Amino acid sequence: MLRTLGLVFWLSLPLIGLSFWLGSSFIGEQILSRGYDHKKYLQADSQMAWQMKKKIMAIEVETLPHKGISFVSVKTNHSTLKTMIFEFAIVEPRKLEAKLAQELGLSPERVKALIRYQPDNQ
């Protein structure tokens, strides 16, 4: 009797293993072939951009007219992103403000209220 129980046990192990292997490959195939919705990620990005609009505290600009570039430092009170640094090939204030408004998603009036120009240190 014990021999038959041992024999049944050892013969059933490969069948159980084979069934788990086939079942897991079937389930894995179903999960990996399933599409996912990209809108969740876009909504998170737009929410982050909306939060950043509220949290910009100051915009400091240093222009180098002889090189034709401007360095822009955007200070925020965001918990993880404190400073953003940009470099633009624009030195004209009006064009620079328009480009910053576009990049930051702010109104031109808001950019004008926050922006501070540093004198050129040659």
Side-chain angles (χ1 to χ4, degrees):
M1 175 109 168
L2 291 176
R3 280 182 161 171
T4 59
L5 286 177
L7 187 61
V8 170
F9 174 74
W10 289 110
L11 286 178
S12 64
L13 279 181
L15 292 175
I16 292 171
L18 182 65
S19 64
F20 275 113
W21 179 58
L22 290 174
S24 64
S25 66
F26 175 75
I27 291 171
E29 180 69 30
Q30 293 299 316
I31 290 173
L32 293 175
S33 65
R34 198 171 32 156
Y36 57 95
D37 190 12
H38 293 282
K39 290 181 181 180
K40 293 179 185 175
Y41 301 108
L42 294 174
Q43 289 173 352
D45 290 344
S46 64
Q47 183 180 12
M48 176 74 166
W50 182 77
Q51 289 175 348
M52 287 304 297
K53 286 181 191 179
K54 296 190 317 184
K55 297 184 179 225
I56 293 177
M57 302 301 292
I59 302 171
E60 297 174 1
V61 177
E62 181 182 354
T63 57
L64 303 174
H66 58 281
K67 291 185 178 180
I69 58 173
S70 297
F71 295 104
V72 179
S73 175
V74 179
K75 309 281 185 190
T76 69
N77 67 353
H78 194 270
S79 61
T80 56
L81 182 63
K82 298 291 184 188
T83 304
M84 295 182 287
I85 298 175
F86 298 94
E87 182 178 334
F88 295 106
I90 303 170
V91 291
E92 185 180 329
R94 191 175 334 136
K95 288 182 181 178
L96 184 61
E97 291 169 5
K99 184 66 174 173
L100 279 171
Q102 177 186 357
E103 287 289 325
L104 299 173
L106 297 172
S107 68
E109 295 81 23
R110 180 77 173 138
V111 171
K112 285 184 182 187
L114 293 171
I115 202 164
R116 301 289 178 259
Y117 291 94
Q118 295 178 359
D120 183 22
N121 297 332
Q122 294 185 18

